[in-house]
Amino acid sequence: KNEVEQSPQNLTAQEGEFITINCSYSVGISALHWLQQHPGGGIVSLFMLSSGKKKHGRLIATINIQEKHSSLHITASHPRDSAVYICAVPTDGNQFYFGTGTSLTVIP
Amino acid sequence: EPEVTQTPSHQVTQMGQEVILRCVPISNHLYFYWYRQILGQKVEFLVSFYNNEISEKSEIFDDQFSVERPDGSNFTLKIRSTKLEDSAMYFCASSEVRGAGYTFGSGTRLTVV
């Protein structure tokens, strides 16, 4: 059973395209995290959000708590955006449920 | 910007050997975590640590694993007798508050041969 589902699993886009990655979850949460995993393996936290929308540069994350759904958007995508994007939700404790990740490749 | 530092970046060890993975969390953070990612699989929670004790652990974190904060700055993960299936990327993370504001380290790739 997957508490966190992401789609698509793989995504290839042309430079400049608008990209959307989706995350659905089945557990009740207070917040949701979007993480970026670089090709070398390192993980960076992009967003933590509990309602509405957050924007950081060309990245926008939205969440609908009622529908248990979040999206990560990248505007004007660039090859350096190529990475694995992971949706993660915390449990009541200190664990995270992680999605399987969306592997994004942006072609010049 | 403050970072979580992990060493080594890559470790190769023989099956049955003990390994210690090291992490230096961000200095004012109070919560510490270890995660692992087996190649091609999703990230999995191992353990969380707060106030010098384990606050939560997953079923992966069996008696072969232990964590320690020996000197107030380092946070270590020890695997007593490594198995082939322990080969994975191990990530340390820390946060100032529970459940928010995580910073991840860049990981240690452990290869057990």
Side-chain angles (χ1 to χ4, degrees):
Chain A
K1 175 186 166 210
N2 285 328
E3 292 82 4
V4 181
E5 297 274 0
Q6 279 186 244
S7 63
Q9 279 195 301
N10 296 286
L11 182 55
T12 301
Q14 290 287 335
E15 184 173 355
E17 281 187 18
F18 180 82
I19 287 160
T20 296
I21 299 169
N22 294 301
C23 175
S24 297
Y25 52 92
S26 58
V27 294
I29 65 166
S30 57
L32 178 145
H33 296 249
W34 281 102
L35 310 171
Q36 180 191 54
Q37 186 170 27
H38 298 297
I43 292 178
V44 173
S45 180
L46 296 175
F47 292 104
M48 186 194 72
L49 65 166
S50 54
S51 65
K53 181 165 96 171
K54 281 190 176 179
K55 186 174 190 289
H56 182 70
R58 294 180 292 104
L59 301 177
I60 303 166
T62 64
I63 189 168
N64 185 318
I65 294 288
Q66 287 75 28
E67 294 186 5
K68 296 188 175 178
H69 182 267
S70 175
S71 293
L72 177 68
H73 306 283
I74 304 175
T75 61
S77 58
H78 190 276
R80 64 175 174 266
D81 297 326
S82 298
V84 175
Y85 293 84
I86 302 169
C87 169
V89 299
T91 66
D92 289 338
N94 284 310
Q95 291 200 35
F96 268 118
Y97 293 118
F98 290 88
T100 51
T102 294
S103 178
L104 171 66
T105 303
V106 181
I107 300 169
Chain B
E1 187 159 334
E3 290 183 342
V4 173
T5 306
Q6 286 187 244
T7 55
S9 56
H10 189 188
Q11 179 150 1
V12 181
T13 189
Q14 290 218 320
M15 191 169 58
Q17 294 295 305
E18 173 184 285
V19 295
I20 298 176
L21 310 182
R22 301 181 193 282
C23 169
V24 179
I26 292 174
S27 59
N28 64 333
H29 284 188
L30 302 176
Y31 297 83
F32 314 107
Y33 314 86
W34 282 102
Y35 299 87
R36 80 171 186 191
Q37 186 179 33
I38 294 170
L39 187 64
Q41 299 186 20
K42 61 182 177 181
V43 180
E44 301 171 291
F45 170 80
L46 291 177
V47 66
S48 61
F49 192 86
Y50 170 74
N51 201 25
N52 284 321
E53 59 183 25
I54 290 173
S55 49
E56 194 167 354
K57 61 183 181 179
S58 71
E59 51 196 37
I60 302 168
F61 194 87
D62 61 22
D63 293 343
Q64 292 297 313
F65 291 89
S66 63
V67 289
E68 202 175 36
R69 195 146 191 261
D71 56 13
S73 63
N74 289 287
F75 179 51
T76 61
L77 174 69
K78 182 193 290 187
I79 310 174
R80 285 189 184 82
S81 177
T82 49
K83 304 188 279 287
L84 294 176
E85 54 265 36
D86 294 326
S87 296
M89 182 79 99
Y90 288 81
F91 293 101
C92 172
S94 68
S95 65
E96 192 174 358
V97 298
R98 186 169 179 260
Y102 291 83
T103 301
F104 284 83
S106 54
T108 293
R109 184 170 298 282
L110 176 65
T111 303
V112 182
V113 296

